[in-house]
């Protein structure tokens, strides 16, 4: 397997390394219901963090606020040492590029090739005309995308239509696309909820391997056992608050059970962003 260029933070695997992401006091209210109640989250290079919690506890909202898909009402976000508040235009886009998101619904263009889908990760740094009509990606982007595909073990499927791949393979393509974005932080929202156990194991172990290369990775999981097996740190959310934040080796079954014990609050009326 060809090695990707080492990540700038590569090799540092301890909490002593500078954080790649810091969220402080994130708050979000939908209708009259506060779904993030002042959440703090720090992600370091080299760690895979599993985010656990019952339905509706705020896990997706937390990731969506961090990646910029949802506007938080309050709180500060620092990405790669740069505070996001007050940034605009190119500076904001550049900082946002550092964080890639992988979803449960994989969002590949099924009729385009696997390679094209991975190249799409580079759109944010291509000239506008390429972004509008990304029919032919530049050779260097295609080479980088091949390297990212190789990293997830799918180089031999580069020219297949993405829609022909299995769910687990498609999720690995989505991860390759995040790598092609050159993000240093990868957030994954239920990346394995639609996968069978073997494919789920493969994807989470891949996320763990990326962390080992120096990425900061956080994955929302509805499979606590996978989190305990692969993650370095477990974060647990209950009703918009982080109630558990501990090395996975220090987490016991009753800690996990407590996250799922409280009855889920009724959903708020739907609001856009
Ligand atoms: N766009 C929205 N409009 C209104 N309420 C929302 C919106 N998005 C999320 N919510 C509410 O915010 C709360 C937290 O939702 P969120 O999706 O973050 O939870 P979660 O922990 O990811 O749940 P799940 O495990 O089911 O995905 C829920 O009550 C949800 O109904």
């Amino acid at each position: 397997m060809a090695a990707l260029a080492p990540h700038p933070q590569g090799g540092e695997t301890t909490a002593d390394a500078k954080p790649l992401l810091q969220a402080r006091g994130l708050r979000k209210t939908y209708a009259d219901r506060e779904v993030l109640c002042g959440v703090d989250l720090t992600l370091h290079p080299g760690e895979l963090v599993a985010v656990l919690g019952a339905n509706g506890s705020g896990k997706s909202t937390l990731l969506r606020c961090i990646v910029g898909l949802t506007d938080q009402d309050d709180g500060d976000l620092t990405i790669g040492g740069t505070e996001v508040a007050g940034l605009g235009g190119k500076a904001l886009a550049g900082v946002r590029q550092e964080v890639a998101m992988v979803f449960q619904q994989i969002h590949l263009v099924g009729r385009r090739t696997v390679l094209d889908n991975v190249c799409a990760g580079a759109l944010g740094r291509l000239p506008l005309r390429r972004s509008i009509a990304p029919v032919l990606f530049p050779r260097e982007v295609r080479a980088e995308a091949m390297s990212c595909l190789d990293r997830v073990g799918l180089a031999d499927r580069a020219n297949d239509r993405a829609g022909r791949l299995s769910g687990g393979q498609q999720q690995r393509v989505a991860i390759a696309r995040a790598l092609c974005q050159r993000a240093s932080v990868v957030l994954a929202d239920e990346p394995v909820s639609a996968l069978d156990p073997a494919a789920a194991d493969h994807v989470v172990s891949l996320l763990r391997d990326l962390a080992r290369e120096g990425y900061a990775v956080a994955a929302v999981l509805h499979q606590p056992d996978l989190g305990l097996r692969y993650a370095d740190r477990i974060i647990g959310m209950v009703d918009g608050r982080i109630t558990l934040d501990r090395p996975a080796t220090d987490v016991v079954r009753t800690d996990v059970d407590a996250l799922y014990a409280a009855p889920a609050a009724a959903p708020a009326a739907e609001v856009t962003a």
Side-chain angles (χ1 to χ4, degrees):
M1 199 179 271
L4 281 175
H7 191 274
Q9 304 278 348
E12 293 187 81
T13 56
T14 73
D16 300 334
K18 270 200 196 151
L20 288 175
L21 186 137
Q22 277 181 300
R24 289 277 169 265
L26 289 189
R27 291 184 180 277
K28 179 71 184 175
T29 298
Y30 284 117
D32 56 354
R33 166 137 186 254
E34 193 170 37
V35 298
L36 290 183
C37 311
V39 171
D40 296 341
L41 176 68
T42 300
L43 297 178
H44 292 91
E47 66 174 351
L48 169 62
V49 175
V51 183
L52 308 181
N55 293 132
S57 54
K59 306 177 299 294
S60 297
T61 305
L62 172 61
L63 297 199
R64 290 175 65 85
C65 286
I66 290 172
V67 84
L69 290 172
T70 294
D71 295 329
Q72 72 262 27
D73 300 327
D74 201 3
D76 300 318
L77 195 57
T78 303
I79 298 171
T82 304
E83 202 166 324
V84 171
L87 292 179
K90 275 189 176 174
L92 179 60
V95 170
R96 287 279 184 212
Q97 277 284 111
E98 285 295 319
V99 184
M101 185 115 165
V102 173
F103 300 89
Q104 177 186 356
Q105 304 291 338
I106 299 170
H107 302 309
L108 299 182
V109 183
R111 62 194 156 71
R112 298 291 290 265
T113 66
V114 166
L115 187 67
D116 279 349
N117 273 278
V118 177
C119 287
L123 282 175
R125 60 178 184 275
L126 293 178
L128 190 58
R129 66 191 161 79
R130 291 275 192 193
S131 307
I132 292 168
V135 181
L136 278 181
F137 288 97
R139 190 185 311 175
E140 62 278 10
V141 170
R142 299 176 78 77
E144 185 170 342
M146 268 312 280
S147 170
C148 296
L149 263 181
D150 197 16
R151 177 64 195 81
V152 302
L154 287 172
D156 59 335
R157 306 300 301 269
N159 296 316
D160 290 355
R161 287 187 181 203
R164 297 244 168 101
L165 271 57
S166 71
Q169 290 167 333
Q170 290 194 27
Q171 196 56 288
R172 282 152 62 199
V173 173
I175 292 170
R177 183 177 55 194
L179 300 183
C180 200
Q181 184 181 320
R182 296 185 186 164
S184 56
V185 178
V186 178
L187 305 180
D189 193 2
E190 298 186 37
V192 300
S193 290
L195 306 185
D196 68 38
D201 207 275
H202 192 158
V203 166
V204 179
S205 69
L206 176 61
L207 293 174
R208 191 268 322 270
D209 292 347
L210 293 182
R212 292 292 169 272
E213 291 172 20
Y215 293 85
V217 187
V220 170
L221 297 174
H222 274 303
Q223 300 82 357
D225 289 343
L226 277 180
L228 291 171
R229 189 175 328 147
Y230 287 111
D232 302 291
R233 186 155 57 101
I234 305 286
I235 282 179
M237 291 189 72
V238 175
D239 287 343
R241 290 184 170 78
I242 290 182
T243 59
L244 173 73
D245 185 351
R246 222 180 282 160
T249 46
D250 297 346
V251 173
V252 295
R253 177 58 56 183
T254 49
D255 296 324
V256 173
D257 291 346
L259 298 173
Y260 299 95
E270 186 161 352
V271 176
T272 306

